[in-house]
Structures are given as structure tokens and as C-alpha cells.
Amino acid sequence: MTSQSNSARTALVVGATGITGLSLTSHLARNQWQVLGLARKPQASAGVTPIAADLQNPDSVRAALKDQKITDIFLNVWSRQANEAENVRVNGDMLRNLFWALPANIELQHIALVTGTKQYLGPFESYGQTSAETPFREDTPRLPGLNFYYTQEDIVVEEAAKRNATWNVHRPHTVIGYARGNAMNMGTTLAVYATLCRKTGEPFIFPGSHLQWNAITDVTDARILAQHLEWAALTPAAHNEAFNIVNGDTFRWRWLWPQIAAYFGIEPQGPPEAIAPLDDRMEKAAGLWKAIAAKHNLAEDNIDKLVSWWHTDGDLGRQLECVNDMTKSRLLGFTALQPTPQSFFDLFDELKKDRTIPA
């Protein structure tokens, strides 16, 4: 991967302000790609050209992409709806709208789609009610029923074939990284929760199930996901494949939870006999956070723009193990590893640096 070959590639990163998108745009720009960052409210960043568009409005996308030269598309976008039928319709239409809006004369080389382990666990409304056997492997048959991940994958494969382009699907598990206002944001949610515990003197109670506390699991650092996305796009042997992508280590929450507590100087506690989800315990959190934000001059005093209690409860409350196999990527040459505790600590350091949480 030389800088010369990269500089000839122009990446359209769709969902550029999310956890995956922010990390990917920064990574590609550092590696000399030309980078276009598309979002409804894009953010300015070094080496990235912001593009404002709403994927539910195809005309706005067409106008925003007019005259753009794009070789690679990285899709990191979804919109949660009331049920899976609506998830399939809306999230499928967003991709169709994007491909319809692309300039007619672009010479597209590659399309990458980021989905996740709901590939193996099912959609939110039936999450974990049926699941694949662990460790999850990419050739596992799809679960029965609707899943917008399946819909998006089918659209990407179809569009790649129509355009004589290659494709990849990347399936991370619980992405840990920096972003505000993200609906699937365990790292920042735990940082805010720990900050609240430090303020009140209450113990840092694990909000999930006893099974998750004791089981082996894994997560995905947004930075290793960005490396994986670039690697697959530039590695011919990896083209037209779906891949799991996780840090490469495994852990038990009963081992990691005390380390997170120690970072914040608070008392860790495992799950009580009757589990204690965050969503049920955070009725007074909004007012308390406003007081913390005022005292420490934080950048955001609206806790709802920082946390996803519901999603963290969902991840940590599962009653089944969740481990992802990385053999397929390893055999094709992707060898990067990321220690999971450092994923959390680096994120917490970044959140302090930008005044999301108190230093």
C-alpha cells in the first residue's frame, strides 16, 4: 500500500460522523487517500472534504455528489426504525438512493459495507432469540426472518456486479471509539456512567447479565476496523468476501470491569442477583450530568447526546456468548491486533481531552 497508489483513490465515506466513519476518514487521510466525508451534518477535519446530504432524500444526495470523482465507497450508516420491517425498508432505500445518485461517469472500483454481529444474533426486536453457534464464522447461514443487514449486503453485492466493482462486508462486534450522538456507543456510555458513579460515590455496578459477566467475549476498536477496511479494499485476494473484524484478543467482563473502574478511581461491582440495567437506573442522570458539566466546563451538558443506555444494556445483558472467528482474515494476511483494555483507556483519554468527561 504505497502513498502513490492511495493518492489515486478517492473514498466516499458514508456516515462520516459516526464511530466508524470518524476513525476511517482520519485513517484514510493519513494514508494519503482523497477522502469525501458524507453525513447530514458533516464535520470539518484535516484531509477530509465534508459533504452534506440526507440519504433519505435522493435528490439531495445527487446534488451533493455532482461532479465528484469516486473510486471507493465505504458505507457505515443506518437509521433505527420502529420495527425490523421498517429497518429493512428505510435502510435498504438509503443505499439504493445513494447508488442512484452517483454521477454517471464515475469509475467505481470498490464498495465496502460495515454491518455487525446482528448478522448472527438477529435484529433488535428478536435479538438473541435465535443465534448462530459460536465462534461466529462468516460462512454461517443467515438466520430466518428479516434483517436489514442482509438487505444492505444484497444491495451492495448487486450494485458491485452492475458496476464491475469489487465489494467487502465487514462485521465488527461492539465498536469502541470516539463519536458524539451515536446510537451504538458503549465506550462513551460507560465513561459517562463511571463519571456519575464517581460524583455520587455509588459503586460501578455491572449492568448486564451473569452470563456476560463470566463468558468469554470480544469487541472491535474503531481503529482496527479502519485498518481492516483499507486492507480489504487494497488486497485483491480479499475482494468479494465478508469478514468478521474484532480486536484479536478475548476477555471476560469480570476481568475488564475492575480495570475500567480503576481508571476512574471508583469501586467495581459485579451484577447483582437481579440484574440492574442502566436504562432503569438513570432517571436522575440528566440533571446530575448538567451539574457536572457546569462544574467542569464540559463541552456537552445534554446526557442524551452522549449515551446509549439501551444499546449498552442490550450488549451486556445478552444471555448467550458472543465470540467472533478471525481465521479468514488471518489466512489472507491481516495480522493487526489491538489490546481491548487499551481501546477503552485510549477512548477515555480522548474524551477527557475534548472535555466530554472531566479530566
Side-chain angles (χ1 to χ4, degrees):
M1 294 188 296
T2 67
S3 59
Q4 183 178 4
S5 64
N6 291 357
S7 64
R9 308 285 284 256
T10 298
L12 175 66
V13 178
V14 182
T17 58
I19 296 175
T20 300
L22 279 174
S23 182
L24 179 60
T25 54
S26 297
H27 175 82
L28 295 177
R30 284 195 303 270
N31 285 351
Q32 307 304 312
W33 286 63
Q34 306 300 311
V35 183
L36 310 174
L38 187 149
R40 282 180 296 176
K41 297 180 180 179
Q43 303 172 8
S45 59
V48 180
T49 301
I51 295 180
D54 180 355
L55 290 181
Q56 296 189 48
N57 181 343
D59 290 327
S60 86
V61 184
R62 172 164 281 188
L65 296 181
K66 183 182 178 182
D67 300 326
Q68 296 290 351
K69 306 299 182 184
I70 301 165
T71 61
D72 297 73
I73 297 176
F74 296 91
L75 299 161
N76 322 275
V77 63
W78 72 289
S79 176
R80 190 184 185 196
Q81 304 299 311
N83 55 58
E84 197 59 18
E86 281 298 287
N87 276 331
V88 166
R89 183 185 67 81
V90 172
N91 290 285
D93 283 349
M94 287 197 299
L95 295 199
R96 293 185 187 98
N97 291 342
L98 172 73
F99 289 116
W100 173 85
L102 291 176
N105 62 342
I106 69 167
E107 297 181 2
L108 193 62
Q109 297 182 40
H110 188 72
I111 307 168
L113 171 68
V114 177
T115 59
T117 48
K118 286 193 293 299
Q119 172 81 19
Y120 310 113
L121 294 171
F124 288 122
E125 62 191 47
S126 58
Y127 190 61
Q129 293 178 18
T130 58
S131 70
E133 184 178 51
T134 55
F136 300 139
R137 294 184 171 87
E138 295 93 340
D139 61 358
T140 301
R142 291 178 174 181
L143 299 175
L146 296 175
N147 190 322
F148 80 85
Y149 283 176
Y150 304 162
T151 300
Q152 289 190 321
E153 181 173 319
D154 289 344
I155 291 169
V156 164
V157 172
E158 179 183 351
E159 288 291 336
K162 283 166 50 178
R163 298 168 183 275
N164 197 30
T166 57
W167 60 270
N168 284 116
V169 177
H170 302 257
R171 300 170 182 163
H173 174 213
T174 307
V175 180
I176 306 301
Y178 178 85
R180 287 187 189 168
N182 189 276
M184 299 168 67
N185 196 341
M186 178 190 285
T188 301
T189 298
L190 293 183
V192 170
Y193 172 39
T195 301
L196 292 168
C197 289
R198 187 169 62 187
K199 173 67 175 178
T200 62
E202 296 178 1
F204 187 51
I205 300 170
F206 183 75
S209 69
H210 292 264
L211 189 150
Q212 287 304 305
W213 178 251
N214 292 302
I216 289 175
T217 191
D218 49 34
V219 298
T220 307
D221 191 303
R223 298 169 297 186
I224 204 168
L225 176 53
Q227 293 177 54
H228 196 251
L229 283 157
E230 183 187 34
W231 164 80
L234 298 179
T235 303
H239 289 166
N240 304 327
E241 298 283 352
F243 293 107
N244 296 332
I245 170 60
V246 287
N247 281 354
D249 62 359
T250 55
F251 67 96
R252 302 180 198 273
W253 278 107
R254 70 188 190 203
W255 170 79
L256 182 58
W257 198 253
Q259 295 183 59
I260 295 175
Y263 178 97
F264 288 96
I266 53 179
E267 176 192 350
Q269 183 175 309
E273 183 174 350
I275 66 172
L278 292 169
D279 214 19
D280 295 343
R281 294 191 282 129
M282 293 296 152
E283 291 182 358
K284 299 180 181 179
L288 182 55
W289 188 258
K290 283 187 179 294
I292 293 172
K295 179 178 179 179
H296 296 278
N297 190 31
L298 300 184
E300 180 57 69
D301 68 355
N302 184 348
I303 199 169
D304 292 333
K305 293 184 177 181
L306 300 175
V307 302
S308 53
W309 305 127
W310 67 273
H311 186 264
T312 298
D313 286 340
D315 264 3
L316 298 181
R318 289 182 299 224
Q319 295 293 343
L320 68 168
E321 66 180 4
C322 191
V323 181
N324 292 268
D325 182 77
M326 281 282 292
T327 301
K328 191 174 181 180
S329 291
R330 302 301 186 216
L331 290 174
L332 289 171
F334 185 80
T335 58
L337 296 168
Q338 168 64 44
T340 289
Q342 202 61 48
S343 294
F344 283 93
F345 302 152
D346 288 350
L347 171 61
F348 300 156
D349 288 346
E350 186 68 20
L351 294 174
K352 288 181 177 180
K353 183 179 176 181
D354 86 337
R355 297 185 298 108
T356 297
I357 62 173

